[in-house]
């Protein structure tokens, strides 16, 4: 386990943790390899890790199993969200959920992204991360006001609003 993962208590398969160590340093190279834009990130990659680990910690602390992320961008942060949800689901008492709460019992990250290039790049990262991550994420691509208009779970445990400024109150 790499130093950053150990410091922040990240738990996951070796495949996922290696990817998380690799991405912040090599985001431009990997995104270009996956067919993404040369102008990879709106912010330098150095800013990704602190935000991601904070969100991971908040989701773990709140035991959230149903997370909505608006503005997934290239999907790096989404990996952290899905990793936290995976751990929370593994530790929850399944007797707390009835049959109608299958989403909460299984855990999900509903990720929304308007930009098709970013969405495709995110899917590539999630595929590299493997089923542990990819299986927890449902990507809604397109206008957030339309893609999240229907099909939401009854309860959302955690909402992260990144890009859709018009949704802020």
């Amino acid at each position: 386990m790499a130093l950053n993962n150990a410091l922040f208590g990240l738990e996951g398969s070796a495949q996922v943790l290696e990817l998380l160590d690799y991405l912040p340093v090599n985001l431009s190279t990997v995104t270009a390899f996956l067919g993404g834009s040369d102008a990879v990130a709106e912010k330098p990659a150095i800013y990704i890790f602190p935000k991601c680990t904070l969100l991971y910690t908040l989701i773990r602390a709140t035991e959230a199993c149903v997370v909505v992320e608006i503005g997934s961008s290239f999907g790096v942060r989404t990996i952290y969200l899905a990793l936290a949800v995976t751990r929370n689901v593994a530790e929850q008492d399944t007797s707390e959920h009835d049959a109608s709460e299958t989403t909460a019992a299984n855990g999900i990250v509903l990720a929304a992204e308007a930009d098709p290039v970013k969405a495709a790049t995110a899917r590539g990262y999630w595929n590299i991360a493997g089923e542990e991550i990819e299986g927890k994420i449902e990507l809604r691509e397109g206008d957030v006001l339309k893609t999240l208009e229907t099909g939401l779970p009854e309860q959302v445990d955690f909402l992260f609003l990144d890009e859709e400024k018009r949704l802020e109150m």
Side-chain angles (χ1 to χ4, degrees), residues 95-145:
S95 66
E96 294 175 10
H97 299 284
D98 62 33
S100 66
E101 295 178 308
T102 56
T103 302
N106 296 327
I108 190 168
V109 176
L110 293 172
E113 178 53 52
D115 185 317
V117 172
K118 288 180 178 180
T121 302
R123 281 190 195 96
Y125 290 149
W126 303 336
N127 181 264
I128 292 169
E131 183 59 27
E132 175 184 13
I133 298 302
E134 195 173 30
K136 290 290 181 209
I137 300 169
E138 178 184 322
L139 179 62
R140 308 266 181 107
E141 188 177 336
D143 184 326
V144 173
L145 293 176

Side-chain angles (χ1 to χ4, degrees), residues 6-164:
L7 285 174
F8 290 97
L10 298 178
E11 301 173 49
S13 69
Q15 179 179 353
V16 173
L17 296 179
E18 286 174 22
L19 179 63
L20 292 178
D21 283 337
Y22 182 81
L23 280 175
V25 177
N26 300 285
L27 190 58
S28 298
T29 304
V30 176
T31 302
F33 172 75
L34 291 170
S37 168
D38 288 334
V40 172
E42 296 82 21
K43 298 175 185 166
I46 191 73
Y47 296 113
I48 294 171
F49 185 75
K51 183 191 288 187
C52 292
T53 53
L54 174 63
L55 289 170
Y56 174 89
T57 303
L58 288 171
I59 290 169
R60 292 288 284 136
T62 60
E63 300 177 355
C65 292
V66 179
V67 174
V68 175
E69 175 191 37
I70 298 176
S72 299
S73 190
F74 295 101
V76 176
R77 180 182 52 241
T78 317
I79 295 172
Y80 285 83
L81 303 180
L83 192 59
V85 165
T86 298
R87 296 297 160 254
N88 288 348
V89 167
E91 294 175 2
Q92 76 180 352
D93 179 3
T94 56
S95 66
E96 294 175 10
H97 299 284
D98 62 33
S100 66
E101 295 178 308
T102 56
T103 302
N106 296 327
I108 190 168
V109 176
L110 293 172
E113 178 53 52
D115 185 317
V117 172
K118 288 180 178 180
T121 302
R123 281 190 195 96
Y125 290 149
W126 303 336
N127 181 264
I128 292 169
E131 183 59 27
E132 175 184 13
I133 298 302
E134 195 173 30
K136 290 290 181 209
I137 300 169
E138 178 184 322
L139 179 62
R140 308 266 181 107
E141 188 177 336
D143 184 326
V144 173
L145 293 176
K146 290 185 173 85
T147 62
L148 293 177
E149 192 171 50
T150 61
L152 288 175
E154 267 186 46
Q155 178 177 328
V156 172
D157 301 323
F158 192 93
L159 169 67
F160 181 73
L161 177 63
D162 191 27
E163 293 298 324
E164 292 294 325

